[in-house]
Structure formats: structure tokens, C-alpha cells
Amino acid sequence: PQIALAREFGLEDFAQPSGGCCFLTDEAYSRKLADLWQARGRKDYELDDIMLLKVGRHIRPARHYKVIISREEGENHFLSGYRKQFHSIKCVSHGGPLSLVDGAPSESDLLTAARIAARFSQGRDSDEVTVEIQNQLGVAKQLAVTPMGAEEINPAWYV
């Protein structure tokens, strides 16, 4: 109705009317926000939380951590700005995404996250992918992992 009214008055150049551009109207974004609140057990957040919900694939293998996997080079660059706040995983033997691990992952969880990240790399069909796992302090270790098969990723893990 707002656009029709603008046209009725002969207005050609106008800003996007409210109601259609809010992230909360996007089903996928709203699902990620609800997951964030549920995982934390409270409905508070910071601006960085909101920004991270906008990018990447969000996969939650367990309640206490999730993996945010970039989908393209621009998201790789964006997520790299958060490497000092999260564990990060980078594929080094093959081209692939930068992934952040949000939450409190154990060593076993980081291995699972690395296998998931390898699944979305160019080495997904390889027997082994070398990844670099870096903690928030910049301490890194390289590790060879078997990429997780598509059938191993529970569809319920996708946020």
C-alpha cells in the first residue's frame, strides 16, 4: 500500500518502506536468532552476535557449540575479523572455507568441527584434508582429518 500511495502522488524515488527489510522477517535469520537464545539460555546479545547470524552456514552438532562456515570468499574475509574471539578452522591442503567455532568446544568437538569444515572444502571427496585449528590467542595446530560425509551430518544440526 505504501508503494501504491507513493505512485499515486507521482513519487518515483523513495526509500524502501518499513516492514519488508527487517532481518527478523527472514525465516532463516529468525531461526538462527532463536537458536542463539536457546543455546545461551537467555535473550541477550551483542552487535557482533547479530552480525554473525547474517553470514555463513550455522551447524550445531551439540548444544554447547556450533560451527559457522563461510560460503564464499567475502564471508571468509568477514569471518577472519572474528578469529581472536573464537576458535577458527582453515583448510590448508585444499581450498575451502574459514570456520568459526562458537561456544565451549572440547578437543573432540574441535575434531568434529574440523571434519565438518573439511566437508565444505574442495577436499570433500579426499581421504584426508589438512586443517589448521587456531584458538583465540593465535596458537595454531595442523591436523589431518577425514572430511565428514553428507550422510554423517544430521539434518537437525543445520540452524
Side-chain angles (χ1 to χ4, degrees):
Q2 294 168 327
I3 294 173
L5 186 60
R7 288 195 179 120
E8 183 179 323
F9 286 106
L11 301 173
E12 299 290 327
D13 187 27
F14 49 87
Q16 169 70 33
S18 64
C21 59
C22 177
F23 281 109
L24 296 177
T25 64
D26 179 88
E27 181 182 346
Y29 185 85
S30 293
R31 200 171 42 249
K32 291 174 187 175
L33 181 60
D35 172 75
L36 174 75
W37 289 342
Q38 183 179 15
R40 291 189 177 169
R42 59 188 193 280
K43 290 187 174 182
D44 62 339
Y45 49 84
E46 296 178 11
L47 181 59
D48 284 338
D49 296 321
I50 299 303
M51 298 301 291
L52 287 169
L53 294 178
K54 296 179 186 182
V55 299
R57 292 176 183 89
H58 290 236
I59 298 176
R60 186 174 294 283
R63 179 178 165 87
H64 62 279
Y65 80 101
K66 76 174 174 180
V67 186
I68 304 170
I69 305 166
S70 70
R71 294 173 290 204
E72 42 85 14
E73 189 175 349
E75 288 185 352
N76 268 356
H77 292 301
F78 180 80
L79 292 179
S80 69
Y82 290 92
R83 291 181 83 175
K84 291 184 179 179
Q85 295 176 36
F86 301 93
H87 281 87
S88 62
I89 301 170
K90 177 182 174 187
C91 297
V92 294
S93 63
H94 297 78
L98 175 64
S99 302
L100 301 179
V101 184
D102 183 16
S106 67
E107 286 298 316
S108 174
D109 297 332
L110 289 172
L111 176 61
T112 299
R115 292 188 63 221
I116 292 169
R119 165 76 185 129
F120 292 97
S121 76
Q122 292 175 356
R124 73 175 99 349
D125 296 322
S126 300
D127 292 334
E128 199 172 80
V129 172
T130 302
V131 299
E132 180 179 271
I133 301 174
Q134 181 175 303
N135 70 14
Q136 299 90 322
L137 300 175
V139 177
K141 64 180 175 183
Q142 288 195 0
L143 179 62
V145 299
T146 302
M148 194 169 276
E151 69 285 349
E152 294 179 85
I153 299 178
N154 184 335
W157 292 357
Y158 286 91
V159 180

